[in-house]
Amino acid sequence: MPAPSFRDFLYAPDHPRVAHLRGLDARSYAEEAKNDSFAGPMIEGWQKLYPEPFTGVTNDGVIRPGLFSLAEARTAEAAPTAEMVAAAGKLLAAASPDQCDRLRYPVDAHEWQSWANPEFMQHDTGLRLEDLDAAVRDAALGVVEASLSPEGYALVRNLMRINGFLGELVELPELMNEYSYNFALYGAPSESEPWGWQLFGHHVALNCLVAGTQLVLSPMFLGAEPDVIDAGPHKGVKVFKERISLARELMAALPETLRGEAVSFAEMVDPAMPEGRLHPGDERHLAGCFQDNRVIPYEGILADSMPPESLALLDRLVEDFVACLPAGPRAARMREIREHYSETRFSWIGGWQGGDAFYFRIQSPVVVMELDHHSGVFLNNDTPAPFHMHTVLRTPNGNDYGRALVRQALAQ
């Protein structure tokens, strides 16, 4: 069954879903959304979660100690710290004193937890890129570029461009554009002490902490609606195609018995799902915004139970998730994840062939990775479709935002 085209699901320009939002930007829609039948309950639920002190995602409610240590990175695993510090220095030099005041927070500030992925703004943390002149905006993006791999930075920029493309498609450019994202710095840029940055907005949220030569990029939320740009100056942009293909290949390569054991639910909206398993905004994924302390029980099959060809595909899928990291930290992260393959679980929801929509999760003591196909938000498909997806990466057991490393550094 071929995948449907997003063009088949465009709202008419006068449809209430989009027409009543005309002229609103992220800040004005933030107030409007509180009274929206769809967004209002989500916002209310997230507002209750945000004040909670950070603990970390776990599988059973108990943080497992000893997983993350503050230390010098191994040979060939070091972060590009000097380049990051230099880029942050350029940003602080380009910004006005008032902008610098609004941009900066302590390294262990609660505001790390303010990120969110919807188009409406809930927390106006740091500086809004669309409000900045080009020099300051480009300097902020320069910090992001210095911290990521070239392919990771290209993906992030393409997702931002897709957001702008969507805004033009539905005639809501004030609400969704290429620069409708917030950026903040945490701590003082340093080659030895912990500090970091945060970028978040519609379908893009990155939290990056560097401590000497170690780098943590987590939580990371990347998504798209739609997943291609088929017109305009960025025509030809496509995202997540390799990740989705690898996931389907992995399911196809599993022996039938293992494949059946990996499937938690056969349908994306399954009558067998317990109450609360489907969230109105997050749908099936569990580790999104404001879920910093969520308990996510293990499901599915152990990686070690897979035959070699299937395990190799799982490994490639994991590599695709961490490809945003620069080369050194990526090598460190892959080593860390592989060392826990004996405790790593792989689970699935939905179909896996042709154009089927699906969800999967890879989970271990050191990582949670999710991909979920979604129903339309600014497109009118009322069932999950492959052209709208959310992907989430977390570091459970207390090291999202590099918090485990920060605590060790502050203790010293």
Side-chain angles (χ1 to χ4, degrees), residues 240 243-244 247 268 284-285 317 320-321 349 358-362 369-374 388-392:
F240 301 121
R243 191 170 304 183
I244 289 167
M268 292 290 272
R284 284 145 297 277
H285 74 74
L317 191 54
D320 192 74
F321 261 92
I349 297 174
F358 60 79
Y359 161 92
F360 71 80
R361 182 167 79 251
I362 299 166
M369 297 172 166
E370 298 180 285
L371 184 147
D372 191 23
H373 286 128
H374 276 226
H388 182 190
M389 75 286 295
H390 290 182
T391 77
V392 183

Side-chain angles (χ1 to χ4, degrees), residues 41-384:
M42 282 194 301
I43 294 170
E44 184 178 354
W46 287 335
Q47 284 176 333
K48 293 176 182 177
L49 292 172
Y50 174 63
E52 293 180 358
F54 176 81
T55 299
V57 171
T58 63
N59 69 290
D60 60 3
V62 179
I63 292 290
R64 179 166 159 178
L67 292 170
F68 311 104
S69 298
L70 182 66
E72 284 296 313
R74 297 185 184 187
T75 303
E77 293 185 358
T81 311
E83 293 85 348
M84 294 171 64
V85 170
K90 290 179 181 178
L91 170 59
L92 293 171
S96 69
D98 177 64
Q99 288 173 329
C100 287
D101 286 343
R102 288 186 287 125
L103 177 66
R104 301 182 69 175
Y105 299 86
V107 71
D108 58 351
H110 188 76
E111 282 81 0
W112 274 114
Q113 297 170 231
S114 68
W115 69 270
N117 57 280
E119 70 287 348
F120 51 84
M121 183 187 296
Q122 293 166 87
H123 297 277
D124 197 0
T125 307
L127 300 175
R128 187 80 169 173
L129 296 187
E130 63 185 326
D131 296 339
L132 305 176
D133 61 48
V136 180
R137 183 191 69 217
D138 291 348
L141 290 172
V143 179
V144 179
E145 184 174 18
S147 309
L148 303 181
S149 65
E151 58 268 39
Y153 183 68
L155 173 60
V156 169
R157 293 294 287 115
N158 280 336
L159 295 176
M160 294 168 69
R161 293 178 183 117
I162 286 176
N163 190 54
F165 175 65
L166 177 63
E168 295 294 338
L169 274 178
V170 298
E171 300 178 22
L172 297 172
E174 295 89 356
L175 183 60
M176 295 179 291
N177 61 73
E178 185 178 347
Y179 299 113
S180 50
Y181 297 88
N182 283 51
F183 183 86
L185 287 176
Y186 293 86
S190 166
E191 293 191 31
S192 57
E193 300 301 317
W195 67 280
W197 56 265
Q198 177 182 68
L199 175 75
F200 71 88
H202 192 213
H203 281 145
V204 173
L206 300 168
N207 297 277
C208 181
L209 187 285
V210 63
T213 53
Q214 290 178 274
L215 186 146
V216 177
L217 187 62
S218 172
M220 178 168 63
F221 183 111
L222 300 175
E225 183 192 26
D227 63 341
V228 299
I229 297 177
D230 64 358
H234 301 296
K235 181 179 179 179
V237 164
K238 300 177 182 180
V239 294
F240 301 121
K241 299 298 186 182
E242 176 73 7
R243 191 170 304 183
I244 289 167
S245 177
L246 283 169
R248 295 190 196 279
E249 286 181 53
L250 172 54
M251 283 294 280
L254 286 172
E256 186 174 353
T257 301
L258 276 180
R259 187 188 307 129
E261 293 173 1
V263 175
S264 301
F265 300 99
E267 304 294 332
M268 292 290 272
V269 180
D270 199 303
M273 288 178 172
E275 185 178 355
R277 181 61 186 87
L278 281 173
H279 184 274
D282 293 334
E283 299 198 15
R284 284 145 297 277
H285 74 74
L286 302 172
C289 60
F290 307 110
Q291 303 299 326
D292 291 309
N293 301 329
R294 185 150 193 174
V295 176
I296 304 176
Y298 288 126
E299 294 181 296
I301 58 175
L302 281 166
D304 270 5
S305 70
M306 297 179 180
E309 61 271 23
S310 301
L311 184 57
L313 285 165
L314 178 76
D315 196 67
R316 289 175 61 193
L317 191 54
V318 170
E319 285 184 326
D320 192 74
F321 261 92
V322 303
C324 282
L325 285 161
R330 187 191 320 172
R333 189 68 163 130
M334 285 303 302
R335 175 179 52 77
E336 179 180 66
I337 294 170
R338 286 168 178 154
E339 286 173 352
H340 290 85
Y341 272 173
S342 63
E343 301 178 81
T344 298
R345 294 272 178 175
F346 172 74
S347 60
W348 191 274
I349 297 174
W352 54 276
Q353 296 176 309
D356 289 343
F358 60 79
Y359 161 92
F360 71 80
R361 182 167 79 251
I362 299 166
Q363 183 178 357
S364 83
V366 297
V367 78
V368 175
M369 297 172 166
E370 298 180 285
L371 184 147
D372 191 23
H373 286 128
H374 276 226
S375 305
V377 175
F378 286 97
L379 299 172
N380 69 4
N381 55 295
D382 57 7
T383 58

